[in-house]
Every structure is written in C-alpha cells, then in structure tokens.
C-alpha cells in the first residue's frame, strides 16, 4: 500500500489544473466557432452581394447581342443603303506596351505612318481611336500582332451602293448608325435596330456552356422599300447631270412619277454629294432641292388656269381669245408675250404659251375659283412624301389677290412651288382628273386619288398639252419616238430681291404615253447660262431622253409606232417667256 | 423492407446517372448550337458584303462604261428604231 501511496506522491507534483480552465478554453473555442458560423451566415444571407458578384464574374458573362440596321432597298429590292459589320481599333495610350517594330507593323496594317500612329499614342492617358471602321480582316491582323493595350470593338458601317445618285433621298447616318438626313432620318424608328443582351455561363476555356437568362432580346431593324426604281434613278441622274453641265446651269432637278399611283420613281438633284465619303461636303450640296426649294414655275402652271376656266364653263377649248397686240396693261403693269400672235383659241394659248391669253382667261374667273383649282391640285401645301423638311410653297389666299396678281398667277408668277408638287399636280391630267398622293414609299397596285377635275376637262387639257410638243408648239424637242407625249414648258424669270432678273428657271413637265399615261417627268434647270434658256430648248430635250429611255426600260408598249417625231428647225420652234 | 430500400437505392443511382448524362448531352448540344449561331451571324455578315459587292459590280455606271468602251455598243438613234406591233400570244 505504501508503494502505492509513494507512487501517488510521485505523481502529485503535477500541479492540479483549476477546475474552470477547461470549460473556459472550450467556451472560447466555441465562441470563435460561433463567430465563424455567424460570419458565414451573415455573408450567406445578409451581405451576399459582394461575394456573389465575385463568383459570377468568374463564370457568368453578359453578352451583347448586336442588332443591325435595316436595309433601304428600291422597289425591285436593289440595295440603296446596307449595313455591314466593321471594327474600330482603340487603345489607352498609357497601357500600350510594344516594341518599335511592333508599332511599325501596326502602322502598316492600319495603312498609316509610324509617325502618325506615335502621335496618336502620345495624347496622354485618354482613350484614343487608332482606326475607325476598318474591315474585319484588318482587325484580325491587328489582333494577330498581340499588342498589349490595343483593342477592337464591333460596329456597323452604312454603305450606299448607288452613292451620289440617290444621296438626296436616302440621306445618311452618323457615327452611331443613327439617321441624320433624308429617309435615314425620318425612318429611324423603323430602320434602327435595338441591341439586346443575355446572361450566359462560360467554362474555363471561355466557351459559352449555358444560357441563364435573356436580358433583352435584340430587335434588328426592318428593311424599307422605297418607291424609287434604281434603273430610272440612274437614268434621271445621268441626264440631269449632263444637261446642267451642258447649259452651265447653277442647279437642276428631275422627278419621275408613276402616273397611276403617284409614287416617286426617281428624284435627282444636281449638285449632289457622295454619302460614302462626305467629310468635306458643303451643306449646300446636301439639299434635296426638288422637295425643299421653291421656285416660280412660269408657264408650266398655265394648264391649271385653263382647267379652272374649262371646269367653270367660262371657256371651251375652241373659244377664241384676242391676244393682239401681244401685251395687256393692267393698271401700271403690262404683261407681254415673247412672240405676239393674233386671235388664238384656248387650245392655242397653251400650244403657243401665250401669257396675254392665259391672263385674259384668268381675269374672266373669280379669284376664289382659280385659288380653289390651285389648292385642289396640291399647291401651297407640303406634298407629304415622307421626306423631312419638304416645303409647301406659297399660294396666297384669294381675298388678297389684286387683278395684276391674278393675271400673273395665270402663267405661274407670284406663286412658288417645288418640283415634286409641280409633277404631282400633273397627275390630274394624266389620270382623268384625279390627284394622286406623291409618296417615296412603295405603294400597292392601285392608289385612290382625289377627284379634282371632270374627266372631260382633264382629257381636253391633255389634248392641248399634246399640241404643245408638236410642231407649232413650244416644245417639239420634247417628242419621244414611238410614243405620244403631252407636256408644257416653262421659262420663268428669277425673282431676286425686289424685282425680276434676266436669270431664268427653265422647266418642262410632261407625261407619256398620252393615250394611257405611265410616267410623269418634271425637269427643272436653274440659271442655264450657255446661250439657250427657253424651257423648250433647255429642259425639253432632257425630258425627251429620260422619258424615252424610261419607257423602254419599263417595257411600255408604244402608242404611236412609226416615225412620229417631226423636228422643225430650232428657229421655227415657238418660244415663250415665263 | 431491406430489399425495397435496396431497389430504391438502385433506382436512385440510375436516375442520378441519367441526369448526369443528359446534363452533359445538353451542354454538348448547347455548345454546338452556339457554334452554329456564330456561323449564322458570320454568314449574315458575308451575305451583306456579297450583296454590296454585287450591287457595286452591277452599278449602271459601270455597266454602261463597259457596254460603250469594251463592247462598242451605243444607243440607237430614233431613225434606227423599228417598232414591231405586238400580237397577242395564242
């Protein structure tokens, strides 16, 4: 037993632990553990945004889904404006880290000089575009150089295959594919795409393995079909350009309308610009003159005076009007005929374009009757083609007309119109009395017009317009082989400041085939200065070429086969002024 | 009771395995779909570029130039055009 007690004694020197120590340690450990649990619960349930963000940034990506802008096509589907993907190369100059050889290679790929590139990279720490809108192949070659700090981004670039020929109608887009001019501007809502995005899971290699959610579905822009026929547009543009150049004119416009639907098949302006490279183009050249500029139409307005008189029963086509001695005095003003004639029938007043005759007919009508006719045929109101900034022209209320004004308005002075308005007004003669809506968008097969004239009035005026292009009329040069043509010339003095100058606007509006009108062509040449200035000599030949080629292009059956064109000597043609 | 549990366990394992394979299958198909979508987009891009190229080649200006200069064609004058009256097809 003593041995046992000795052993106990030997063990005894180990100091006895205080009884509370183990529970304290245990308690502390438990407390620490609870803190951990609490923290993890806190992170899991309450403050979880940061870690979830960190986690998802490692496997989840938001991908931009591009949406391209809709195409603008002509009536046959030929593209007039089309978007294709390009890339822009950019860099943070401060982060670019490359050897001089690499930079030289980059400069070569981007088709610039190493010096120009270095200058761009010197511009401090700001974001800088090294090249804008380059083809994807170039961007791939840049990426292959693997220069740190040089990146690319996807963009769309708008191309205009027909270039300067249709730039006034189509317009163009700015940097971010947003329309700035023309149809591109007005139809932004329809054409513009809205890019979408979706959230996906990616694996270690960066491949997309799962769709998580679609944040926004991309909405690609819709295609837009215009009423333009690219073939006729080319024709119109080519002939207008050569006429403006041959006559050394300041500007010009040409419009082709479908006589049955009122659709604008071609609309050309000169001067023009190339929408694919428009860095230094004057605003002046961007104006769509045919819709946004007005001019005094001159004699091309006479048929409406005559139509108003026929419609009201004041005259008949064979009523005789005395135009001798070729001038008419109203108060302090005198109206002249360029070539005085004697007694003329109403038909001959149009054929020979007599100002005195037209003025006398107009003065036999109450102002309101004439105003109503001009207003009904669309003058003084914007033509509503769907083009931005089209003008209404000026048609003053009938109550304010003085007799001299009514007389000059009979032959197209004291009223201003744009070329599309003028062409559209002629639909009443081309369609047996109905005014068709002029539109830039492709319409259905038949378009309801607004009845303005009795069919017999329209046909009577059409006959007079046919006489005007035949020998003895003012515009034999407007004839088209194999087709019957009807039309009217205009030669207006330009109004500048307070008075009329010796500068002219030569115009011609006509339609063919006269037996079943298919097309209306209106030509306007502003300030021809190469000698000739009469509408019958400047504008009529353009009309003839364009109308002939356009009818052949469309395959319109001839209504006067055989050699129906009789061109008198130019001296024999009747000239008119206004 | 034990046998039933064993059977259920077997069924569970089978279900789990089929889930794994179908999941894998789904991912593989998805990757494929993704690849095809990318290809679609690339084709769309190419189509746009080809359309552009086609309309550039078919520009009336170019066609006219070739017709006039290379093929020595010209627009016939009014006196050289003979109109043949059309007959209704039988």
């Amino acid at each position: 037993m003593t041995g046992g007690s000795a052993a106990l004694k030997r063990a005894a020197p180990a100091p006895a632990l205080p009884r509370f120590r183990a529970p304290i340690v245990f308690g502390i450990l438990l407390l620490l553990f609870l803190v951990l649990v609490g923290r993890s619960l806190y992170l899991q349930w309450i403050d979880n945004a940061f870690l979830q963000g960190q986690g998802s940034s490692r496997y989840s990506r938001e991908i931009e889904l591009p949406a391209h802008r809709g195409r603008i096509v002509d009536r046959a589907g030929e593209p007039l404006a089309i978007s294709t993907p390009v890339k822009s190369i950019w860099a943070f100059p401060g982060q670019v880290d490359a050897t001089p050889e690499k930079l030289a290679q980059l400069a070569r790929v981007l088709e610039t000089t190493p010096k120009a590139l270095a200058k761009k990279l010197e511009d401090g720490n700001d974001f800088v575009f090294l090249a804008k809108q380059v083809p994807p192949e170039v961007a791939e070659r840049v990426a292959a150089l693997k220069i740190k700090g040089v990146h690319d981004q996807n963009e769309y670039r708008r191309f205009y295959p027909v270039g300067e020929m249709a730039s006034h109608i189509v317009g163009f887009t700015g940097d971010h594919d947003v329309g700035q001019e023309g149809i591109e501007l007005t139809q932004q809502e329809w054409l513009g795409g809205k890019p979408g995005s979706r959230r996906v899971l990616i694996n270690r290699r960066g491949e997309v393995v799962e769709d998580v959610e679609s944040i926004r579905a991309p909405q690609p822009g819709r295609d837009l079909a215009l009423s333009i026929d690219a073939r006729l547009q080319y024709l119109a543009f080519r002939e207008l350009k050569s006429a403006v150049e041959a006559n050394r004119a300041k500007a010009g416009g040409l419009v082709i309308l479908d006589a049955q639907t009122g659709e604008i098949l071609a609309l050309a302006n000169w001067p023009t610009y190339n929408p694919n490279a428009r860095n230094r183009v004057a605003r002046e050249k961007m104006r769509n003159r045919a819709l946004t500029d007005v001019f005094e139409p001159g004699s091309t307005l006479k048929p409406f005076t005559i139509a108003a008189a026929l419609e009201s029963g004041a005259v008949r086509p064979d009523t005789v009007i005395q135009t001798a001695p070729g001038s008419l005095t109203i108060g302090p003003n005198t109206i002249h005929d360029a070539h005085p004639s004697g007694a003329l029938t109403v038909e001959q007043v149009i054929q020979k374009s007599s100002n005195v005759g037209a003025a006398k007919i107009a003065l036999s009508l109450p102002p309101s009757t004439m105003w109503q006719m001009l207003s009904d045929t669309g003058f003084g109101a914007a033509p509503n083609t769907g083009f931005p900034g089209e003008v209404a022209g000026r048609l003053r209320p009938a109550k304010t007309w003085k007799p001299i004004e009514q007389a000059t308005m009979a032959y197209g002075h004291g009223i201003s119109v744009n070329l599309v308005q003028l062409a559209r007004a002629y639909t009443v003669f081309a369609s047996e009395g109905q005014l068709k809506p002029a539109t830039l968008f492709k319409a259905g097969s038949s378009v309801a017009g607004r009845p303005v004239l009795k069919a017999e009035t329209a046909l009577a005026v059409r006959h007079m317009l046919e006489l005007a292009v035949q020998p003895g009329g003012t515009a034999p040069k407007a004839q088209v082989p194999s087709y019957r043509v009807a039309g009217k010339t205009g030669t207006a003095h330009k109004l500048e400041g307070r008075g009329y100058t010796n500068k002219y606007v030569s115009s011609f509006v006509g339609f063919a085939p006269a037996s079943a009108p298919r097309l209306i062509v209106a030509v306007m040449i502003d300030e021809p200065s190469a000698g000739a200035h009469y509408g019958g000599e400047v504008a009529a030949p353009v009309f003839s070429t364009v109308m002939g080629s356009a009818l052949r292009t469309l395959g319109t059956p001839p209504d006067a086969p055989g050699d129906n064109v009789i061109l008198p000597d130019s001296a024999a043609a009747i000239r008119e002024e206004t | 009771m034990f046998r039933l549990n064993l059977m259920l366990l077997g069924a569970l394992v089978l279900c789990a395995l089929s889930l794994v394979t179908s999941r894998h299958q789904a991912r593989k198909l998805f990757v494929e779909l993704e690849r095809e979508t990318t290809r679609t987009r690339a084709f769309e891009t190419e189509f746009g570029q080809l359309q552009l190229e086609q309309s550039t080649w078919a520009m009336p200006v170019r066609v006219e130039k070739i017709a006039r200069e290379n093929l020595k064609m010209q627009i016939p004058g009014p006196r050289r055009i003979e109109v043949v009256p059309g007959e209704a097809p039988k």
Side-chain angles (χ1 to χ4, degrees):
Chain A
M1 270 317 273
T2 22
S5 76
L8 250 177
K9 264 208 165 156
R10 271 196 301 275
L17 291 171
R19 299 190 62 144
F20 50 83
R21 190 161 145 173
I24 284 180
V25 170
F26 185 69
I28 288 174
L29 284 177
L30 193 71
L31 205 69
L32 287 175
F33 186 68
L34 281 177
V35 167
L36 279 180
V37 168
R39 175 71 180 160
S40 70
L41 284 177
Y42 175 73
L43 287 178
Q44 185 69 35
W45 302 109
I46 299 160
D47 186 22
N48 56 8
F50 173 75
L51 283 180
Q52 284 211 331
Q54 284 293 313
S56 63
S57 77
R58 279 161 179 74
Y59 60 82
S60 135
R61 289 278 182 283
E62 192 180 322
I63 293 188
E64 173 103 341
L65 297 170
H68 62 86
R69 190 176 173 85
R71 297 180 308 155
I72 298 179
V73 298
D74 83 338
R75 56 189 306 115
E78 278 295 308
L80 300 176
I82 195 168
S83 286
T84 110
V86 290
K87 293 206 169 188
S88 283
I89 314 291
W90 58 273
F92 290 121
Q95 294 177 3
V96 175
D97 180 20
T99 57
E101 302 98 77
K102 280 259 175 171
L103 284 182
Q105 279 178 333
L106 179 64
R108 211 173 315 128
V109 172
L110 295 178
E111 290 173 354
T112 168
T113 60
K115 215 183 230 174
L117 189 65
K119 192 164 181 300
K120 276 188 177 172
L121 289 174
E122 268 169 22
D123 292 350
N125 210 5
D126 286 348
F127 173 93
V128 64
F129 274 115
L130 299 181
K132 272 191 160 187
Q133 304 199 330
V134 295
E137 303 89 71
V138 173
E140 269 170 38
R141 272 154 60 204
V142 171
L145 291 174
K146 290 197 176 130
I147 300 174
K148 204 182 145 209
V150 174
H151 310 269
D152 58 31
Q153 70 185 42
N154 289 317
E155 280 179 15
Y156 279 101
R157 185 175 166 188
R158 202 85 166 141
F159 284 96
Y160 301 94
V162 291
E164 59 179 7
M165 289 193 291
S167 50
H168 290 114
I169 312 162
V170 176
F172 53 81
T173 58
D175 265 354
H176 300 287
D177 234 17
V178 174
Q180 281 194 337
E181 280 282 340
I183 292 297
E184 293 269 37
L185 173 65
T186 41
Q187 297 298 311
Q188 172 63 29
E189 273 296 301
W190 179 273
L191 292 164
K194 289 197 184 71
S197 62
R198 59 176 187 151
R199 185 170 293 285
V200 296
L201 298 187
I202 54 166
N203 65 9
R204 193 168 44 82
R205 281 171 298 189
E207 293 165 338
V208 174
V209 289
E210 203 177 310
D211 248 329
V212 181
E213 56 172 341
S214 163
I215 299 170
R216 256 174 302 124
Q219 286 179 348
R222 287 156 289 189
D223 285 358
L224 178 68
L226 296 187
S227 59
I228 299 295
D229 184 321
R231 298 167 302 171
L232 301 194
Q233 179 70 27
Y234 167 65
L235 251 171
F237 177 78
R238 186 188 63 188
E239 294 306 323
L240 177 71
K241 185 183 169 192
S242 71
V244 169
E245 280 168 359
N247 288 296
R248 292 207 294 276
K250 202 177 109 191
L254 202 160
V255 176
I256 306 181
L257 291 191
D258 186 308
Q260 298 307 316
T261 63
E263 288 166 290
I264 298 174
L265 298 180
L267 191 160
N269 286 289
W270 186 266
T272 183
Y273 65 99
N274 184 353
N276 294 310
R278 43 164 216 280
N279 286 338
R280 283 174 295 277
V281 174
R283 294 295 302 178
E284 174 80 4
K285 291 188 172 180
M286 291 192 186
R287 262 203 346 261
N288 187 348
R289 288 156 197 270
L291 276 163
T292 62
D293 278 16
V294 291
F295 62 100
E296 294 202 339
S299 301
T300 42
L301 214 68
K302 277 180 194 156
F304 300 96
T305 311
I306 306 298
L310 290 175
E311 194 81 347
S312 70
V315 294
R316 294 186 317 146
D318 53 3
T319 306
V320 176
I321 312 283
Q322 182 56 260
T323 67
S327 64
L328 176 66
T329 303
I330 302 166
N333 308 90
T334 305
I335 293 168
H336 296 279
D337 269 344
H339 295 267
S341 324
L344 296 175
T345 61
V346 170
E347 276 182 346
Q348 285 170 319
V349 166
I350 288 287
Q351 185 187 13
K352 303 192 185 303
S353 198
S354 162
N355 295 343
V356 172
K360 280 192 167 171
I361 293 169
L363 290 173
S364 71
L365 300 172
S368 59
T369 309
M370 216 171 123
W371 182 89
Q372 194 62 45
M373 174 57 60
L374 294 173
S375 175
D376 280 350
T377 44
F379 295 108
N384 242 330
T385 55
F387 191 85
E390 57 182 26
V391 290
R394 193 179 53 132
L395 172 64
R396 288 183 299 111
K399 275 182 212 144
T400 67
W401 290 6
K402 296 186 197 117
I404 179 67
E405 289 167 341
Q406 188 175 353
T408 58
M409 222 171 296
Y411 56 89
H413 281 281
I415 176 171
S416 65
V417 306
N418 67 41
L419 193 61
V420 170
Q421 265 181 329
L422 191 59
R424 178 194 175 207
Y426 271 71
T427 57
V428 301
F429 305 126
S431 70
E432 300 186 5
Q434 292 193 346
L435 183 72
K436 305 284 186 180
T439 173
L440 271 171
F441 305 110
K442 196 174 170 178
S445 50
S446 79
V447 173
R450 183 156 50 82
V452 172
L453 295 178
K454 285 185 231 136
E456 65 218 56
T457 311
L459 290 175
V461 177
R462 195 191 289 179
H463 176 66
M464 296 175 202
L465 294 175
E466 267 195 89
L467 292 177
V469 297
Q470 284 164 12
T474 53
K477 287 185 178 169
Q479 293 173 96
V480 177
S482 315
Y483 293 98
R484 280 167 55 197
V485 170
K488 184 74 196 77
T489 52
T491 311
H493 284 274
K494 274 184 90 168
L495 185 66
E496 265 177 21
R498 299 197 138 263
Y500 287 95
T501 59
N502 272 334
K503 296 175 185 164
Y504 298 88
V505 175
S506 305
S507 55
F508 189 91
V509 189
F511 50 89
S515 58
R518 175 80 182 83
L519 296 176
I520 298 175
V521 174
V523 186
M524 188 271 282
I525 308 285
D526 189 7
E527 290 186 26
S529 60
H533 65 261
Y534 291 108
E537 281 167 28
V538 173
V542 185
F543 168 88
S544 170
T545 325
V546 171
M547 182 60 95
S549 310
L551 289 174
R552 272 196 297 282
T553 305
L554 296 176
T556 311
D559 62 345
D563 202 47
N564 64 325
V565 173
I566 309 137
L567 280 179
D569 304 337
S570 58
I574 305 291
R575 283 165 181 178
E576 39 91 63
E577 207 143 311
T578 78
Chain B
M1 193 64 192
F2 177 72
R3 282 183 57 177
L4 182 65
N5 280 345
L6 208 63
M7 264 167 62
L8 286 176
L9 181 72
L12 181 69
V13 167
L14 266 176
C15 283
L17 283 178
S18 72
L19 176 71
V20 168
T21 43
S22 63
R23 191 88 177 147
H24 180 65
Q25 205 71 27
R27 289 224 165 149
K28 255 169 68 178
L29 287 174
F30 184 79
V31 169
E32 210 165 304
L33 173 71
E34 207 52 21
R35 203 171 301 138
E36 296 302 321
T37 316
T38 315
R39 261 156 57 95
T40 311
R41 214 162 293 146
F43 282 136
E44 269 168 16
T45 306
E46 200 184 339
F47 179 60
Q49 284 167 344
L50 288 174
Q51 262 185 327
L52 205 58
E53 194 180 325
Q54 189 223 21
S55 63
T56 311
W57 287 118
M59 285 262 280
V61 185
R62 184 173 168 274
V63 173
E64 189 182 328
K65 195 165 172 246
I66 290 176
R68 277 185 199 282
E69 290 173 12
N70 299 8
L71 304 172
K72 308 272 181 248
M73 294 167 93
Q74 49 180 283
I75 296 169
R79 316 230 169 247
R80 290 173 54 203
I81 297 176
E82 195 76 39
V83 176
V84 183
E87 282 171 32
K90 283 166 195 169

